[in-house]
Amino acid sequence: MIERHFQISFVARLALAEKQIQQNYRPLIAVHKWFARRPGTLFRALILSELGETRIDQTYYHGHNFSDSHILDPFMGGGTTVVEANRLGCAVTAADINPMSWWIVRQQIQDLDLTAYLEAAAALRAHLRVEIGHLFQTTCPKSGKAAQVKYFLWVKRVKCPSCGKFHDLFPNHLIAQDVRHTANVFACAHCGTLYESKDRKHPGPCPVCGKHPSTGHTARRNRSRCLHCDSLISYPLQTPPEHRLFAMEYHLPVGAPTARTKGRLFKAPDDEDLARFAEAEERLRAIRPKFIPEDAIPKGDETDRLHRWGYRRYADMFNARQLLGLELSCRWIAAHHDERVREALATNLSDLLRYQNMLCRYDIMALKSLDIFSVHGFPVGLIQCESNMLGIEGFRGLPVGSGGWLNIIEKFAKAKRYCAHPFEVRHDGKKKVEVPIAGEWIGTYRNGSHPAELREVDLICGDSTALPGTKIFDGVFTDPPYFGNVQYAELMDFCYVWLRKLAGATHLEFASPTTRNAGELTGNINMGRDLAHFTEGISETFRKAVERLKSGSPLAFTYHHNKLEAYVPMAVAILDGGMTCSASLPCPAEMGASIHINGTGSSVIDTVFVCRRSGRVPRRWIVSTPRELATLIQEEIEALKEGGLKATQGDIRCVSYGHLTRLAVWNLRSGWKREAPTLERMAAVRGWYQGFGGVDAVLAALESNFSSAPPRQEWMSAGMICELPETYDDISF
């Protein structure tokens, strides 16, 4: 049982390590971008804790095959449950209303001839090299040798309404810091020269024109002063913004004299560089696109930001060189004869879009491109980064830079190799050791050196409340949507409109022109989805899942939100399903260094809610006062610390929310009226929270354990620990 076998410290350490560089621990996530994937290590631990017969630390690194068990995930998302349950030998049924989710998980699970895929991928890159490879070349001004451009840097510009001249919207003139480069690099706003300085705050005058950086003409808060006439300029405008190429980072082959110098190589574009882009524009005008989407960007919580900047069609978010390369890539992929390989390459192109657009930004410290979804939204910056589409092959064939076909192909191949030979990572001091897990594999079919073996994986693109068949499940493990969370459908449409044209003709799941769906469970102002709507949807899903669940088997789900109010729907859904919450277990599920979390009071902690219709719960978990609850929470804070996470105030709040919700369910279950109106059921949960004293009473009881906790995220590593066995005093329900 999860309640006995799950160990907070052990799992926290695994999850924390994975979330730092998730692709190293779960390479399969590199098949395609999906948002807020929970740690695979966490879900492996949950399923093993339930189906195994002993503590998780004693079973985690062993191979397993639970072929007699069937797992359900009604909110499939990025497929964490599907992959982890399938790897453990379970049959899996999973559903998601978003067709991109269905497609991505399908590509993760289905078998693929890796040799045929790599041959096709190499042929695609060779074709593009002939067609457009020269558009990503430049000449090194220091050596005069041919070089490949890693990144093109573009600045948005507007026409001054007073003098009619174009003004660059530089937020500042620093384009590279002296962290991964030998000096700070600045762009002169007056003459366009790139020059270096050791002093970041006082770079001095441009060595060519002698003028200092014009800080009075930088852009901020939708205002700037014209560099030419000093008139006030407002932005954004109602038309797609114009861009000017002002800098490039380039790469010389190993062995070239300039390549042996320390640091990165930067240059301002010369006439030949500008001519190459003009060639791309001309070629794009000359062809009749077959795959470039003409879809309009619909109104939405996230897409309204694009509308404010004048973006009306998805195609407006790309420049001519990107559109040309993507169109030629699509044409080659569509003509490939092997269906599985064609779908794999189509998936690659969809994922490539994240880097091949004019909303990507340049990280001036790490000196790399930040893909469009590096934050969970559509960030419209003033400096945009265009990556080399083909990718650059460096030392030993490894990719140089990010965002090109070579990068995407390499990650995809690694992901599919992982399917055949999955591993776990064990920390031995400061060393990370890959531990092969004998007998485990990921997919629907295995042959070759092993006896042929089939596994049942039923992926449904549709509403999980209408699951076909009568199958009874041994467990439900899921990561449901969080109220008010990122509008995944609005973001995924960015990829979907391309993938639908390239691969959607043979799949009914791609019939809709958008991934948006009225049944989607997210808070959404534009679609009128409030907390009550969210409550009703979660409740119906849980009730339908419980109807297909073996008696005593768990419905386990992860959840966190920064407000207690958002936990009300989960308590209502658990109660509506006739379940008791037998455990609320904290586990790290986000990375504190993430752009949307770092430096904020947000939590990286999920609560794992374990719910059953019958079972046992440790007596000591059923408390009746805030002080008693504070004692439990403090024990978990210490366990998380042993696992490597020093809980912040935001983390402690979320742990408290989980326990308050668990206790609300325990105390409200006997007289619960599922047929009562939604608002009345929600009010009952709120009433219990208030009667207990709410989170404020719990935090007050924690005293200095809360007040002295850091207000922001602070990750630290920790060595392995040995936990002592527990004794059990359970209450049956």
Side-chain angles (χ1 to χ4, degrees), residues 22 30 36 89 98 127 133 144 198 205 207 321 330 366 384 408 416 472 537 571 602 605 637 655 694 709 711:
Q22 198 162 9
N98 192 310
H127 171 73
K198 293 292 185 182
R321 181 160 39 207
C330 287
Q384 313 301 162
I408 299 296
K416 301 310 285 188
I472 301 299
S602 297
I605 298 292
I637 293 170
V655 174

Side-chain angles (χ1 to χ4, degrees), residues 209-232:
C209 71
K211 295 182 179 180
H212 287 265
S214 184
T215 56
H217 297 94
T218 53
R220 59 176 62 87
R221 296 183 178 179
N222 299 338
R223 298 286 189 275
S224 184
R225 288 201 170 274
C226 177
L227 183 67
H228 311 287
C229 71
D230 203 43
S231 297
L232 186 65

Side-chain angles (χ1 to χ4, degrees), residues 51 65-71 88-91 471-472 474 550:
L51 301 181
N65 188 354
F66 300 110
S67 56
D68 294 333
S69 297
H70 197 137
I71 301 301
L88 290 169
C90 304
K471 190 74 177 179
I472 301 299
D474 298 278
K550 287 183 181 177

Side-chain angles (χ1 to χ4, degrees), residues 73-306:
D73 183 356
F75 298 108
M76 177 166 51
T80 301
T81 296
V82 175
V83 169
E84 299 301 326
N86 169 264
R87 175 181 163 181
L88 290 169
C90 304
V92 186
T93 297
D96 202 289
I97 206 164
N98 192 310
M100 283 298 295
S101 166
W102 169 82
W103 178 271
I104 292 167
V105 180
R106 180 173 176 267
Q107 292 302 313
Q108 289 177 151
I109 287 291
Q110 73 178 8
D111 58 285
L112 176 70
D113 184 333
L114 188 56
T115 300
Y117 163 76
L118 289 172
E119 289 175 352
L124 169 59
R125 287 190 69 241
H127 171 73
L128 293 175
R129 195 178 299 116
V130 171
E131 290 288 332
I132 59 172
H134 64 287
L135 300 180
F136 299 94
Q137 292 181 344
T138 190
T139 301
C140 173
K142 297 180 179 179
S143 66
K145 294 184 177 295
Q148 297 184 71
V149 181
K150 285 170 67 177
Y151 306 115
F152 302 89
L153 302 185
W154 300 78
V155 59
K156 285 183 171 60
R157 64 177 191 170
V158 294
K159 184 175 287 188
C160 175
S162 297
C163 68
K165 295 180 179 180
F166 277 105
H167 170 72
D168 294 332
L169 296 175
F170 281 107
N172 59 66
H173 302 290
L174 177 67
I175 66 170
Q177 294 181 359
D178 58 350
V179 178
R180 293 190 176 180
H181 187 52
T182 54
N184 302 293
V185 181
F186 291 85
C188 178
H190 302 279
C191 69
T193 298
L194 302 187
Y195 65 99
E196 296 185 346
S197 173
K198 293 292 185 182
D199 191 334
R200 192 179 301 170
K201 293 184 178 180
H202 306 94
C206 170
V208 174
C209 71
K211 295 182 179 180
H212 287 265
S214 184
T215 56
H217 297 94
T218 53
R220 59 176 62 87
R221 296 183 178 179
N222 299 338
R223 298 286 189 275
S224 184
R225 288 201 170 274
C226 177
L227 183 67
H228 311 287
C229 71
D230 203 43
S231 297
L232 186 65
I233 299 174
S234 299
Y235 66 90
L237 306 178
Q238 295 302 308
T239 56
E242 294 195 36
H243 296 84
R244 180 180 72 83
L245 179 63
F246 73 94
M248 300 185 297
E249 183 189 340
Y250 63 96
H251 173 78
L252 281 168
V254 175
T258 310
R260 292 196 293 268
T261 61
K262 294 182 179 180
R264 303 296 183 93
L265 298 170
F266 295 92
K267 64 172 288 190
D270 56 33
D271 290 342
E272 291 183 353
D273 297 319
L274 299 176
R276 291 185 183 97
F277 186 76
E279 178 189 338
E281 291 180 308
E282 182 59 34
R283 287 184 62 183
L284 184 64
R285 283 193 292 267
I287 66 174
R288 181 175 296 176
K290 299 178 181 178
F291 296 98
I292 296 174
E294 292 299 318
D295 304 62
I297 301 172
K299 183 179 178 60
D301 286 7
E302 294 292 342
T303 52
D304 280 356
R305 180 182 294 109
L306 299 176

